[in-house]
Each structure stands twice: as structure tokens, then as C-alpha cells.
Amino acid sequence: MRLKDMKINQRLILGFAIPVVLSVILLVIALTTTFSIRSQYEELLDHEVQLELQIMNCRVQTNTAARFARDMALDTEKANYTSNQTQLNAALDELTESQNYVAEHYTLGDGKEDSYLAVVTAWENIIPQILNAVEANDFDQAKSILVNECTPALNEVRDSAISLNEAIDDSITEVRTAQAQSVTRMLILMALLLVFLILVIVFATRLIHSILVPLRETKTVLEDMRDGDMSHQITYEAKDEFGDMADALRSTQKMLGSAFDEITRI
């Protein structure tokens, strides 16, 4: 349908429907983007939490393995040698799995995971020395390695793990801040769009009403005049073009009314 074939109310509704529809589309896009940002943040947060859990598990397993190595060094009778060795190997295996997870999933790019894994590996290399000494029944040597090498290396593992966790926490804080700012901006945008949408609807309603009311009244009066009824007076008054048209129509009604009266008297 061509624009000139449409009624005035249809033209007005169409003209205001376009910005309303665009506003609704923008509002939906902003809302979708907000949920997307939230989803990405939750996914990243879950990733970082899992990474911290694996680092914590590394610390737990290093402490567990160190405890069993200590027990083996102190068990001069080797009464629990087999049991301690089995549990030591199990702890080392689980430690390896956690190390592999950290190496694969740490993505901050600051190199701290390499330093951490190197420290853990250095500590792991001390364990066979303790076991070799125990195997040789050189328990004094085993205790010496435990105190002078294993314990300091274990402390380095702890300090490196703390540094790695702090880097992850800083990353989470930065992401949380950026996400909060993005969501805030989107909420502000959605609020502005919503206000704009309401204002457009209110303004459009009032404007359409202000145009259609005088047009309908004028149409009714003209139709009555066409049928010879001059009694229906137009009541619309304003200082706009419709008001001028109403004044001109009232003047025309008076002139035609006077002419009809003259004709009637004759």
C-alpha cells in the first residue's frame, strides 16, 4: 500500500511505530548482551575456581607425599614401608594429574604457572633421594635430606602456590570489575531506551489525538453541510492550522447560513 493511499491515522501510527520498533529491538539486543556477558563471566569464574581447586589439590598432595616420605625416613624398622610407599605413590600420581591440569588451563600468560610447576618438580626430584637412602637403610641420610632439602623445597612450593592463587584472584577481580561495569552500562542503556520508548508512545498518542480529533470533527461538519444541515457547529479552537481551518469553516457556515436564510425569505 502506498503512503498516499493510507488514512492519516494510519500514516501517523506508521511513522511512530518505526522508532518504537527500533527501540524495542535495541532493548532486546541490550538485554541479550547483558545475559551473554553474565554467562561469560560465570563460565570464566567457574574455570578460575576449578584452577584454584587444582592448585590447592597440588598443595594437599605435596604435603601428603611429604608426610609419607617422612614416615618412611623415621620408620627405621620398615614396619610400614610397603603401606607408606603405596600411599606415597598414590599421592604423587594425583599430584601429577593436578600439575597437568594447571599447565593446560592456566591462561593468564604471566609465566607464574611455569615457575610453580618447576618448583613442584624440583621438590618431586628430592623424594627419590629419600627413598634411595631408606632402601639403603641409611636413615640418617634420609632424615638429613628430609630436613635440609625436602622441607625448604616444600616451603617454596607453598609460597609459589600462594603467588599463583593471588594472580588468579587478581584476574577474577579484574574480570568481575569489567563485567560489573559492562552490565551497569547495559542497564543504563536499557533504562534510557525504556524511557525513550515510553516518551515516544506518550508523545505519539497525544500527537495522534491532537490531529485526529479536529479532523474527525471537521469531517462530520462538512458531511452535515453537504446534506444541507448548517446547525452543527465546529467547536475546535486552537492557534494551529487546524484552528485556522475551524475558524474558516465557522465563517463559511455563517455565510452559507445567511445565504440560505435570504433564499428562504425570498
Side-chain angles (χ1 to χ4, degrees):
M1 180 182 291
R2 294 180 299 177
L3 190 61
K4 67 178 183 179
D5 295 331
M6 299 174 65
K7 294 182 178 296
I8 291 180
N9 64 329
Q10 294 175 329
R11 298 182 193 178
L12 291 171
I13 292 173
L14 178 62
F16 284 104
I18 293 174
V20 169
V21 171
L22 290 176
S23 298
V24 171
I25 292 174
L26 291 175
L27 191 61
V28 172
I29 292 174
L31 188 62
T32 303
T33 303
T34 300
F35 282 115
S36 176
I37 292 173
R38 180 65 181 178
S39 176
Q40 292 174 4
Y41 167 72
E42 291 177 350
E43 182 179 348
L44 180 61
L45 184 60
D46 181 67
H47 171 269
E48 302 295 349
V49 168
Q50 291 298 323
L51 189 57
E52 286 194 324
L53 287 175
Q54 291 299 324
I55 295 172
M56 182 181 297
N57 189 56
C58 281
R59 294 183 62 182
V60 170
Q61 298 309 320
T62 52
N63 288 328
T64 301
R67 178 167 61 84
F68 287 120
R70 179 204 62 191
D71 291 345
M72 294 176 70
L74 297 177
D75 185 13
T76 57
E77 300 296 329
K78 294 186 177 181
N80 299 312
Y81 179 85
T82 301
S83 174
N84 287 333
Q85 188 174 40
T86 300
Q87 295 182 77
L88 171 62
N89 291 333
L92 291 175
D93 289 341
E94 191 167 346
L95 174 60
T96 299
E97 293 180 4
S98 295
Q99 285 178 278
N100 292 335
Y101 185 94
V102 173
E104 181 179 353
H105 293 87
Y106 188 88
T107 57
L108 297 184
D110 54 9
K112 288 188 176 182
E113 81 281 12
D114 293 331
S115 300
Y116 171 71
L117 294 174
V119 170
V120 174
T121 300
W123 172 83
E124 285 182 294
N125 292 335
I126 299 174
I127 299 300
Q129 300 178 35
I130 298 174
L131 297 182
N132 290 336
V134 172
E135 286 284 348
N137 293 320
D138 190 350
F139 292 99
D140 290 336
Q141 178 66 15
K143 294 175 184 177
S144 176
I145 296 174
L146 186 68
V147 173
N148 298 320
E149 296 183 38
C150 183
T151 300
L154 198 61
N155 291 334
E156 289 184 17
V157 171
R158 178 201 61 200
D159 295 340
S160 184
I162 292 175
S163 176
L164 199 60
N165 280 328
E166 288 175 349
I168 295 173
D169 290 339
D170 291 341
S171 175
I172 292 175
T173 301
E174 291 177 3
V175 172
R176 182 184 291 116
T177 301
Q179 186 266 348
Q181 292 174 347
S182 298
V183 171
T184 300
R185 286 194 294 268
M186 285 298 172
L187 290 176
I188 293 174
L189 176 60
M190 286 190 291
L192 292 176
L193 285 173
L194 186 60
V195 171
F196 174 74
L197 184 61
I198 293 173
L199 290 176
V200 168
I201 293 175
V202 171
F203 178 75
T205 302
R206 292 176 62 87
L207 181 60
I208 292 173
H209 180 77
S210 68
I211 293 175
L212 293 182
V213 168
L215 279 179
R216 287 169 179 166
E217 187 178 4
T218 301
K219 177 184 176 183
T220 300
V221 172
L222 288 173
E223 289 174 345
D224 290 343
M225 290 174 63
R226 178 196 61 191
D227 297 334
D229 183 5
M230 298 295 175
S231 62
H232 190 177
Q233 297 291 320
I234 187 168
T235 59
Y236 182 80
E237 293 184 0
K239 295 181 179 180
D240 56 12
E241 288 82 351
F242 292 109
D244 295 338
M245 183 176 64
D247 291 338
L249 185 57
R250 277 191 290 268
S251 299
T252 301
Q253 283 180 306
K254 290 179 181 179
M255 292 175 59
L256 290 176
S258 298
F260 286 159
D261 291 340
E262 289 293 334
I263 293 172
T264 301
R265 282 197 296 270
I266 294 173

